[in-house]
Coordinates of all heavy atoms in Angstrom, one line a residue:
T80 N 0.6 0.6 -18.0 CA 0.9 1.4 -16.7 C 1.2 0.4 -15.5 O 1.0 -0.8 -15.7 CB -0.3 2.3 -16.4 OG1 -1.5 1.6 -16.1 CG2 -0.5 3.3 -17.4
G81 N 1.7 1.0 -14.5 CA 2.0 0.2 -13.3 C 3.3 -0.6 -13.4 O 3.4 -1.7 -13.0
L82 N 4.3 0.1 -14.0 CA 5.5 -0.5 -14.2 C 6.7 0.4 -14.2 O 6.5 1.6 -14.3 CB 5.6 -1.3 -15.6 CG 5.4 -0.4 -16.9 CD1 6.7 0.1 -17.4 CD2 4.7 -1.3 -17.9
R83 N 7.9 -0.1 -14.0 CA 9.1 0.6 -14.2 C 10.0 -0.2 -15.2 O 10.0 -1.4 -15.2 CB 9.9 0.8 -12.9 CG 10.3 -0.4 -12.1 CD 11.1 -0.1 -10.9 NE 11.4 -1.3 -10.1 CZ 10.6 -1.6 -9.0 NH1 9.6 -0.8 -8.7 NH2 11.0 -2.7 -8.3
R84 N 10.7 0.6 -16.1 CA 11.4 0.0 -17.1 C 12.8 0.7 -17.3 O 12.9 1.9 -17.3 CB 10.7 0.0 -18.4 CG 11.4 -0.6 -19.6 CD 10.7 -0.3 -20.9 NE 9.3 -1.0 -20.9 CZ 8.1 -0.3 -21.1 NH1 8.2 1.1 -21.2 NH2 7.0 -0.9 -21.0
A85 N 13.8 -0.2 -17.4 CA 15.2 0.3 -17.6 C 15.7 -0.2 -19.0 O 15.5 -1.5 -19.2 CB 16.2 0.0 -16.6
T86 N 16.3 0.6 -19.8 CA 16.7 0.2 -21.1 C 18.1 0.7 -21.4 O 18.3 1.8 -21.2 CB 15.8 0.6 -22.3 OG1 14.4 0.3 -21.9 CG2 16.1 0.0 -23.6
V87 N 18.9 -0.1 -22.0 CA 20.3 0.3 -22.4 C 20.5 -0.1 -23.8 O 20.3 -1.2 -24.2 CB 21.4 -0.3 -21.5 CG1 22.8 0.1 -22.0 CG2 21.2 0.2 -20.0
H88 N 21.0 0.9 -24.7 CA 21.4 0.6 -26.0 C 22.9 0.9 -26.2 O 23.3 2.0 -25.9 CB 20.6 1.5 -27.0 CG 19.2 1.2 -27.1 ND1 18.6 0.3 -27.9 CD2 18.2 1.8 -26.4 CE1 17.3 0.3 -27.8 NE2 17.0 1.2 -26.8
L89 N 23.7 -0.2 -26.6 CA 25.1 0.0 -26.8 C 25.4 -0.3 -28.3 O 25.1 -1.4 -28.9 CB 25.9 -1.0 -26.0 CG 25.8 -0.9 -24.5 CD1 26.5 -2.0 -23.8 CD2 26.1 0.5 -24.0
N90 N 25.9 0.8 -29.0 CA 26.1 0.7 -30.4 C 27.5 1.1 -30.8 O 27.9 2.3 -30.6 CB 25.2 1.6 -31.2 CG 23.7 1.3 -30.9 OD1 23.3 0.1 -30.8 ND2 22.9 2.3 -30.7
R91 N 28.3 0.0 -31.2 CA 29.7 0.4 -31.6 C 29.7 0.7 -33.0 O 29.4 -0.1 -34.0 CB 30.6 -0.9 -31.3 CG 32.1 -0.7 -31.6 CD 32.7 0.2 -30.8 NE 34.2 0.1 -30.8 CZ 34.8 1.0 -31.8 NH1 34.2 1.9 -32.5 NH2 36.2 0.8 -31.8
R92 N 30.2 1.8 -33.4 CA 30.2 2.4 -34.7 C 31.5 1.9 -35.4 O 32.6 2.2 -34.8 CB 30.0 3.9 -34.8 CG 28.9 4.3 -34.0 CD 28.7 5.8 -34.0 NE 28.3 6.3 -35.4 CZ 28.3 7.7 -35.6 NH1 28.5 8.6 -34.7 NH2 27.9 8.0 -36.9
L93 N 31.5 1.4 -36.6 CA 32.7 0.8 -37.3 C 32.8 1.7 -38.6 O 31.9 2.3 -39.1 CB 32.5 -0.6 -37.7 CG 32.3 -1.6 -36.5 CD1 32.2 -3.0 -37.0 CD2 33.5 -1.5 -35.5
P94 N 34.1 1.7 -39.1 CA 34.3 2.5 -40.3 C 33.5 1.8 -41.6 O 33.2 0.8 -41.6 CB 35.8 2.3 -40.6 CG 36.4 1.9 -39.3 CD 35.3 1.1 -38.6
A95 N 33.3 2.8 -42.6 CA 32.6 2.3 -43.8 C 33.5 1.2 -44.4 O 34.7 1.3 -44.4 CB 32.5 3.5 -44.8
Q96 N 32.8 0.2 -45.0 CA 33.6 -1.0 -45.6 C 32.7 -1.6 -46.6 O 31.4 -1.5 -46.6 CB 34.0 -1.9 -44.5 CG 33.0 -2.4 -43.5 CD 33.5 -3.1 -42.3 OE1 33.9 -4.3 -42.5 NE2 33.6 -2.4 -41.2
T97 N 33.2 -2.6 -47.3 CA 32.5 -3.4 -48.3 C 32.1 -4.7 -47.7 O 33.0 -5.4 -47.1 CB 33.4 -3.6 -49.6 OG1 33.7 -2.4 -50.2 CG2 32.6 -4.4 -50.6
L98 N 30.8 -5.0 -47.7 CA 30.3 -6.3 -47.2 C 30.1 -7.2 -48.5 O 29.4 -6.8 -49.3 CB 29.1 -6.1 -46.4 CG 29.1 -5.1 -45.3 CD1 27.7 -4.9 -44.7 CD2 30.1 -5.5 -44.2
A99 N 30.7 -8.4 -48.4 CA 30.5 -9.3 -49.5 C 30.6 -10.7 -49.0 O 31.1 -11.1 -48.0 CB 31.6 -9.1 -50.5
L100 N 29.9 -11.7 -49.8 CA 30.0 -13.1 -49.6 C 30.9 -13.6 -50.7 O 30.5 -13.7 -51.8 CB 28.7 -13.7 -49.6 CG 27.6 -13.4 -48.6 CD1 26.3 -14.0 -48.8 CD2 28.2 -13.7 -47.2
P101 N 32.1 -14.1 -50.3 CA 33.1 -14.5 -51.4 C 32.5 -15.6 -52.3 O 32.8 -15.6 -53.6 CB 34.2 -15.1 -50.6 CG 34.2 -14.4 -49.3 CD 32.7 -14.2 -49.0
A102 N 31.6 -16.5 -51.8 CA 31.1 -17.5 -52.7 C 30.3 -17.0 -53.8 O 30.0 -17.7 -54.8 CB 30.4 -18.5 -51.8
L103 N 29.7 -15.8 -53.6 CA 28.8 -15.3 -54.6 C 29.4 -14.3 -55.6 O 28.8 -13.9 -56.5 CB 27.6 -14.5 -53.9 CG 26.8 -15.4 -53.0 CD1 25.6 -14.5 -52.3 CD2 26.1 -16.6 -53.7
G104 N 30.7 -14.0 -55.4 CA 31.4 -13.2 -56.3 C 31.2 -11.7 -56.0 O 30.5 -11.3 -55.1
D105 N 31.8 -10.8 -56.9 CA 31.7 -9.4 -56.7 C 30.3 -8.8 -56.8 O 30.1 -7.7 -56.2 CB 32.6 -8.7 -57.7 CG 34.1 -9.0 -57.6 OD1 34.5 -9.5 -56.4 OD2 35.0 -8.9 -58.5
W106 N 29.4 -9.4 -57.5 CA 28.1 -8.8 -57.8 C 27.3 -8.8 -56.4 O 26.4 -8.0 -56.3 CB 27.3 -9.6 -58.8 CG 27.0 -11.0 -58.3 CD1 27.6 -12.2 -58.5 CD2 25.8 -11.4 -57.6 NE1 27.0 -13.2 -57.9 CE2 25.9 -12.8 -57.3 CE3 24.7 -10.7 -57.1 CZ2 24.9 -13.5 -56.7 CZ3 23.7 -11.4 -56.5 CH2 23.9 -12.8 -56.2
A107 N 27.7 -9.6 -55.4 CA 27.0 -9.6 -54.2 C 27.6 -8.6 -53.2 O 27.1 -8.5 -52.0 CB 27.0 -10.9 -53.6
A108 N 28.7 -7.9 -53.6 CA 29.3 -6.9 -52.8 C 28.4 -5.7 -52.4 O 27.7 -5.2 -53.3 CB 30.7 -6.4 -53.2
L109 N 28.5 -5.1 -51.2 CA 27.6 -4.1 -50.8 C 28.4 -3.1 -50.1 O 29.1 -3.5 -49.1 CB 26.4 -4.5 -50.0 CG 25.4 -3.4 -49.6 CD1 24.7 -2.8 -50.8 CD2 24.4 -4.0 -48.6
E110 N 28.4 -1.7 -50.4 CA 29.2 -0.7 -49.8 C 28.4 -0.2 -48.6 O 27.3 0.4 -48.8 CB 29.5 0.5 -50.8 CG 30.4 0.0 -51.9 CD 31.7 -0.3 -51.5 OE1 32.2 0.2 -50.4 OE2 32.5 -1.1 -52.1
A111 N 28.8 -0.5 -47.3 CA 28.2 -0.1 -46.2 C 28.7 1.3 -45.8 O 29.9 1.4 -45.3 CB 28.4 -1.1 -45.1
D112 N 28.0 2.4 -45.9 CA 28.4 3.7 -45.5 C 28.5 3.8 -44.0 O 29.4 4.5 -43.5 CB 27.5 4.8 -46.1 CG 27.4 4.7 -47.6 OD1 28.4 4.4 -48.2 OD2 26.2 4.9 -48.1
E113 N 27.6 3.1 -43.3 CA 27.6 3.1 -41.9 C 27.4 1.7 -41.3 O 26.6 1.0 -41.9 CB 26.5 4.1 -41.3 CG 26.7 5.6 -41.6 CD 25.6 6.4 -40.9 OE1 25.5 6.4 -39.6 OE2 24.8 7.0 -41.6
L114 N 28.1 1.3 -40.3 CA 28.0 0.0 -39.7 C 28.0 0.0 -38.2 O 29.0 0.7 -37.6 CB 29.0 -1.0 -40.3 CG 29.2 -2.3 -39.8 CD1 27.9 -3.1 -40.1 CD2 30.4 -3.0 -40.4
E115 N 27.1 -0.7 -37.6 CA 27.1 -0.7 -36.1 C 26.9 -2.1 -35.6 O 26.0 -2.9 -36.1 CB 26.0 0.2 -35.5 CG 26.2 1.8 -35.7 CD 25.1 2.6 -35.1 OE1 24.1 2.0 -34.6 OE2 25.2 3.8 -35.0
L116 N 27.6 -2.4 -34.6 CA 27.4 -3.7 -33.8 C 26.5 -3.2 -32.6 O 27.0 -2.3 -31.9 CB 28.7 -4.3 -33.4 CG 29.6 -4.7 -34.5 CD1 30.8 -5.5 -34.0 CD2 28.9 -5.7 -35.4

Side-chain angles (χ1 to χ4, degrees):
T80 61
L82 60 87
R83 58 175 175 264
R84 179 187 296 120
T86 309
V87 175
H88 295 269
L89 301 176
N90 302 321
R91 180 68 167 92
R92 308 177 70 184
L93 301 177
Q96 53 189 282
T97 300
L98 304 177
L100 296 176
L103 299 181
D105 294 340
W106 67 269
L109 183 63
E110 296 293 334
D112 302 322
E113 295 182 65
L114 175 62
E115 290 185 355
L116 300 180

